[in-house]
Amino acid sequence: MSKRLNRIEGQVRGIKRMIEEGVYCDDVLNQIASAQSALSGVAKLLLEKHIKFCIKDQLMAGDEEVVFELTKTIARLLNKS
């Protein structure tokens, strides 16, 4: 996951540089869409690990409040705009 985040960080730096250099807006917007997609991929991976380990462990320990927390987290991820 660290490699993905490093790549995204580079994309964001590239976007900043494109804006500073006055690159055509459509090209910049395409790069922003690409970075957003990459971030979504990282979020999906992290959510999967969170469910498999953290949520599972908490449920096994009897903490059902974690289900409410998880639904709020998923709602935040789905409502990105």
Side-chain angles (χ1 to χ4, degrees), residues 1 40-56 70 74 77:
M1 194 172 317
S40 290
V42 170
K44 203 160 108 176
L45 277 175
L46 187 57
L47 180 61
E48 181 181 336
K49 288 182 179 188
H50 181 54
I51 291 169
K52 285 182 177 177
F53 299 103
C54 303
I55 300 298
K56 180 182 170 188
L70 179 61
I74 291 171
L77 288 171

Side-chain angles (χ1 to χ4, degrees), residues 16-74:
K16 181 178 183 258
R17 189 171 39 257
M18 290 172 79
I19 291 170
E20 291 170 348
E21 293 173 0
V23 172
Y24 184 60
C25 294
D26 193 54
D27 295 335
V28 177
L29 290 168
N30 285 330
Q31 287 302 313
I32 290 171
S34 177
Q36 287 173 325
S37 177
L39 274 172
S40 290
V42 170
K44 203 160 108 176
L45 277 175
L46 187 57
L47 180 61
E48 181 181 336
K49 288 182 179 188
H50 181 54
I51 291 169
K52 285 182 177 177
F53 299 103
C54 303
I55 300 298
K56 180 182 170 188
D57 289 347
Q58 287 176 282
L59 284 172
M60 290 176 69
D63 179 7
E64 293 188 18
E65 184 67 22
V66 73
V67 174
F68 177 70
E69 174 191 294
L70 179 61
T71 56
K72 284 186 357 184
T73 298
I74 291 171

